[in-house]
Amino acid sequence: LLCVLFDQVLTFAIMLIAIFIVIGVSAWMFIFLLIPTIVIYLIIQQLFRSSSREIKRLESLSRSPLIAHFNESLTGISTIRCYNKESQFIAENQQRNDANMSTWWSTWMSQRWLAIRLESLGSILVLGAGIFATVNSYFGILSVGLVGLALSFSQSISMIASNLVTQLVEVETQMNAAERLIHYSKLENELYDSGEDLDSNKWPQIGSIEFKDFKMRYRPNTPLVLKGLNLKIEPAGKIGIVGRTG
């Protein structure tokens, strides 16, 4: 997918540069209009890229809890029905779904924000081309063919510029997956006992497990989920472990 996006970004960038060159060569008067337009275009795309990248990151963060909750609900559906907690899980699923959909709404609104401004820039270029054509017909500065060529090319600038920015932002947002992989790769590893140099005399001879004032949390900065657990499991005993979803 990234290869296709890179190819599209390169294609639209070359097309946009070619249009600017054709317009600048065929009708040099357009350069006075193209320079401020390019500056405004760069400012708009920078604003859109930064905001869209963060919105995509928020969408990824809100999607993970939604999928995790849905999978947990499917896994423990029998336990949920047994305790008549269907309405609670449905409400929680709807809450997480609303949080995820709000990021999608922000994504669409940011795209509309970009489209309005790029279409406005394109309209300004077409207006400028029309004004230059009118001035040229009166003073005869440029040939009619060159003015028509510049006018026809200026009409496609807004569409190509919009596609270029959209694909460029899509490349950056797709790199969020790589960013998360890098983040997970740098997490502190859990302690691992390779099993080497084990003394058989220190190994338990019976399968008895005893917890004394046992406390546990999922991560260092999270609250305790087990607080002072005291439990003894006798050898050959049968136990059942019940979690959040059974």
Side-chain angles (χ1 to χ4, degrees):
L1 180 59
L2 283 176
C3 295
V4 176
L5 292 175
F6 275 121
D7 180 68
Q8 292 178 353
V9 168
L10 185 60
T11 301
F12 288 127
I14 294 175
M15 291 175 61
L16 192 62
I17 294 174
I19 289 175
F20 285 154
I21 293 175
V22 170
I23 293 177
V25 172
S26 61
W28 58 268
M29 295 175 61
F30 279 91
I31 296 178
F32 299 103
L33 185 60
L34 284 178
I35 292 177
T37 302
I38 293 174
V39 173
I40 297 174
Y41 165 75
L42 293 175
I43 295 174
I44 290 175
Q45 65 92 19
Q46 183 63 31
L47 292 174
F48 177 74
R49 286 171 55 192
S50 58
S51 61
S52 180
R53 184 173 57 251
E54 296 302 322
I55 291 174
K56 180 63 177 179
R57 184 176 288 111
L58 291 175
E59 190 274 330
S60 299
L61 293 176
S62 63
R63 184 176 65 247
S64 298
L66 174 63
I67 296 176
H69 180 266
F70 184 74
N71 291 332
E72 291 176 355
S73 301
L74 289 180
T75 304
I77 189 170
S78 57
T79 306
I80 295 173
R81 290 177 176 176
C82 178
Y83 288 94
N84 294 324
K85 295 295 183 179
E86 296 93 337
S87 58
Q88 175 182 342
F89 277 78
I90 291 174
E92 186 173 355
N93 180 269
Q94 291 176 346
Q95 180 182 0
R96 299 190 181 195
N97 190 46
D98 290 341
N100 182 252
M101 287 296 102
S102 63
T103 59
W104 277 104
W105 175 260
S106 301
T107 300
W108 285 108
M109 289 300 99
S110 63
Q111 291 178 356
R112 293 302 91 202
W113 179 90
L114 174 68
I116 290 174
R117 280 149 183 80
L118 292 183
E119 290 293 338
S120 300
L121 285 178
S123 300
I124 292 174
L125 286 176
V126 174
L127 176 62
I131 294 175
F132 287 150
T134 303
V135 173
N136 177 73
S137 63
Y138 184 79
F139 293 100
I141 301 174
L142 300 173
S143 65
V144 178
L146 292 178
V147 174
L149 179 64
L151 181 61
S152 62
F153 271 89
S154 63
Q155 294 177 353
S156 60
I157 288 179
S158 60
M159 180 189 67
I160 296 176
S162 178
N163 291 331
L164 174 61
V165 176
T166 302
Q167 298 302 323
L168 187 61
V169 171
E170 188 65 21
V171 170
E172 292 190 3
T173 54
Q174 290 296 330
M175 290 301 293
N176 280 342
E179 181 183 14
R180 299 184 73 181
L181 287 175
I182 295 174
H183 171 72
Y184 287 130
S185 65
K186 294 181 179 179
L187 290 178
E188 184 179 356
N189 295 330
E190 297 181 357
L191 295 178
Y192 172 69
D193 189 353
S194 62
E196 298 179 355
D197 300 328
L198 290 178
D199 189 356
S200 59
N201 295 325
K202 297 181 180 180
W203 192 257
Q205 300 301 318
I206 57 176
S208 177
I209 303 175
E210 185 175 1
F211 293 90
K212 292 182 180 180
D213 195 24
F214 182 73
K215 299 177 182 179
M216 188 186 74
R217 54 170 51 93
Y218 285 107
R219 288 179 297 276
N221 298 326
T222 57
L224 291 172
V225 293
L226 294 180
K227 304 176 182 179
L229 176 65
N230 295 295
L231 172 66
K232 185 176 182 180
I233 304 174
E234 298 295 339
K238 295 182 179 180
I239 63 171
I241 300 176
V242 180
R244 291 180 297 174
T245 58

